[in-house]
Amino acid sequence: MKFSRSLALLLLFFAVYWSYKSLMPTYESDYDAPDSSFATDRALEHVQNISKAPHGVGFPAHEQVRSYIISELKSMGLETFTQEGYTCGDWGNLSKATNVLARIKGTSEGKALLLLSHYDSSPHSSYGASDAGSGVATILEGVRAFLSNNEAHKNDIIILISDAEELGLNGADLFVNNHPWAKDVGLVLNFEARGSGGPSYMLIETNRGNGNLIKEFTKANPKYPVANTLAYSIYKMLPNDTDLTIFREDGDIEGFNFAFIDDHFDYHTALDTHERLDRNTLAHQGSYFMPLLEYFSNADLGNIKSLDDYIYFNLPFFRLVSYPYEWIWPMFALAALAFVLLLIWGFKKGQLQVTDLLKGFIPLFGSLAINGIVGYFFWKVLTWWYPQFNDMLHGFTYNGHTYIFMFAMLSVGVCLWFYHKYRKTSTANLLVAPIFLWLVICGLVAVYLKGASFFVVPVFAVLAAFMVTINQEKPNPFLLVFLCFPALFIFAPFIKMFPVGLGLKMMVGATVFTTLLFVLLLPFVGLLKNKDRFAYLALFLFLAFGISSHINSSFNEERPKPSSLLYVYDADDDAAFWTTYDKKPIAWNSQFLKESKESPNDESFKTLSSKYLTRFTAVANAPKKEIAVPWVDIDLDTVIGNERILELCITPKRNVNRLDIYTNDVPLNSVKVNDIPLSDYYLKKRKKRLVTHYVSNNDFTELGMSYPKDSVLELVLYEASNDLLTHPDFTVPRRPENSIPMPYVLNDAIMVTKTLRFE
Ligand SMILES: [Zn+2]
């Protein structure tokens, strides 16, 4: 008995391992794979060629990467096209995008399949290997393999390697709203990254129901689908748009995103290199690409839209499991009914006692409370202990995975300790409280978070285990472990998914999910005699990995600290400053900030926004340099009726990357930037920022505005270049190896500010 218990326990550990391991393929060197198959190594070569230098819009390598993609498409015998133009999108980010396109004719006249990824990297310092070099490489290698098969296919295949995704989805905007091919598109497959590793999640983008999309996706049958309606619901709640969002919103075109999100700390940084791209992840993208391309190049894409919604989740061996929304309530009712019947039966058999089953709520809520509180305060305590982590704007530290493991262990330890205290109570009695709680959860999600309704599936298995424990004095441990499998396979990956997806501040997701999963394993755990010893083991692992995480909490060359430095020339006051966003500056930028003023209260420093609303943290006087101020031409200034019409042109007089224009609180009736009108919706919801122009080739910015004639308009220009470290007039030393440019914020920049007033 003891032997089979131990063996069953090993099986349980293996199931946890398998729940992660089975999500994605394991990379093996495949350079010599046959021409007709997708080779990760060959894709990797593209990634390497694309990610040699930062290639955001306006950076020198941007054009080189575009030329590389065009020549690779041509070498496959495809005719390539480019589409160039300004767009401004919903974020007020203007840029000139240059899309790369190719089209492979199909045998029929139906809708086309569009393969999508973007080639620009995030300004300023990202090498763009994962984001989205990996996506471009997947398409290049996948299409090459597909074409080498030389098989006829029904649908046209359009390849769109878009531009300026990182600035405001401008390339997608340009294609969907201006390209004649856009109306032909029936379905999009988009390849993206928000980190450099982990499984790639399939996320649907649709204006209606997902029914047909899921059915077709299941038929295409990729080997490693990682997708569930909960992840999708969370994705919809977050403000992370992809190019595909434009296709859905502006073109009513649906599609699938394939995006990996782990190792988030590499995202948009100088660490987004081909060395750090997880090979398994790239293989995973390929494992989606080939079967989907083969299937959807022949499927009827005119028939993809539907009103039905499906619940779906992935499961080892079964791949993608799905069922219609209509089943949500019947499944819940069935589970609840089974629970009630088992309760009645348990009482009749004398296996359940009211006092004992009420006792079962104490370890359940006790461990939930402790683990919940620990998880909730984790990030606060961590950033108090290690204030330098505040400068990791991703909210996920280099040793973040160790923390997740540690706190999962601690949560398990707390659960084991509680249930050891209640070892005298029978497992059948102890199970009542967790099943009751899970049914409550399932009922709540059926109303408020339908996407999570598949939570009920493992509950059925636990109900079966509950039946076994009521019925048998000495149940077979293997049977009980087997009945734990659905819970393990479905929920174990979520323990990691929450903090990985939402940042370590969501550690509470990991600790609570560990607890909720643990109590589903009670039928088997109840068989274990020495739960206290296992609790000590879990605590030991927590401490041991705690030491390891502490050792790995410092910054070094492998784990560089993000840092920032800017030189600001205020042309209005003829004054110059050094400034930073760092909460904990390093020696490299501190040397410029020695005589820094306290946290600046100056309005002009507050307005510069960044994705994470970071503010300058220190400002110090700087020597004045000859920085050329942008040239402003007033082309038109007139009053028609009650409106003042103003047209001006701002021309850079040095190499610049970006121009931000802010206004005072004036009601603007209409605004055009480089002939692109800003939408009324945007003009209404915007705060002080009017527009950001990501400049290429030192292009001018032409601004046309109309506003009430009695208003006084004030424009503040922030013109920035990312060349502080290479500019000949400056002697800023190279950033040390143990630091990288801080992402998301304006960095390594020379900025000029200038105010224009129109009385
Ligand atoms: Zn991207």
Side-chain angles (χ1 to χ4, degrees), residues 190-301:
N190 182 33
F191 293 82
E192 259 291 3
R194 197 222 58 174
S196 64
S200 170
Y201 289 84
M202 183 279 276
L203 295 159
I204 284 177
E205 194 85 56
T206 175
N207 284 328
R208 296 176 191 75
N210 61 29
N212 285 353
L213 286 162
I214 283 301
K215 275 185 234 163
E216 295 294 297
F217 181 83
T218 310
K219 278 190 217 157
N221 201 20
K223 204 169 170 196
Y224 301 93
V226 180
N228 62 72
T229 24
L230 173 61
Y232 174 70
S233 305
I234 293 172
Y235 165 72
K236 296 293 281 180
M237 287 185 244
L238 296 175
N240 296 325
D241 284 349
T242 69
D243 273 347
L244 201 41
T245 317
I246 299 283
F247 278 79
R248 174 177 61 76
E249 287 179 350
D250 292 3
D252 195 17
I253 299 164
E254 6 228 29
F256 300 100
N257 282 302
F258 301 93
F260 49 97
I261 62 171
D262 208 343
D263 298 338
H264 189 32
F265 36 72
D266 290 341
Y267 180 57
H268 285 185
T269 73
L271 299 178
D272 189 358
T273 59
H274 89 275
E275 289 93 348
R276 290 178 73 99
L277 166 61
D278 187 335
R279 273 49 177 166
N280 299 330
T281 301
L282 186 59
H284 195 191
Q285 293 292 48
S287 80
Y288 279 120
F289 187 87
M290 293 314 290
L292 292 173
L293 175 58
E294 261 148 47
Y295 182 79
F296 286 114
S297 58
N298 285 300
D300 180 6
L301 300 179

Side-chain angles (χ1 to χ4, degrees), residues 428-447:
N429 277 309
L430 285 177
L431 259 175
V432 174
I435 297 177
F436 176 75
L437 176 66
W438 267 101
L439 284 173
V440 171
I441 293 173
C442 290
L444 288 174
V445 296
V447 181

Side-chain angles (χ1 to χ4, degrees), residues 638-645 707-710:
T638 182
V639 173
I640 298 175
N642 286 323
E643 280 193 328
R644 180 160 173 186
I645 317 283
Y707 56 95
K709 72 173 196 294
D710 301 324

Side-chain angles (χ1 to χ4, degrees), residues 117-118 120-122 130-133 165-166 191-194 241-243 267-268:
S117 192
H118 68 90
D120 64 309
S121 65
S122 175
S130 291
D131 179 19
E165 189 273 350
E166 301 290 0
F191 293 82
E192 259 291 3
R194 197 222 58 174
D241 284 349
T242 69
D243 273 347
Y267 180 57
H268 285 185

Side-chain angles (χ1 to χ4, degrees), residues 77-93:
L78 298 175
E79 189 183 357
T80 62
F81 305 87
T82 55
Q83 181 198 17
E84 186 179 270
Y86 277 106
T87 54
C88 199
D90 284 342
W91 306 345
N93 289 350

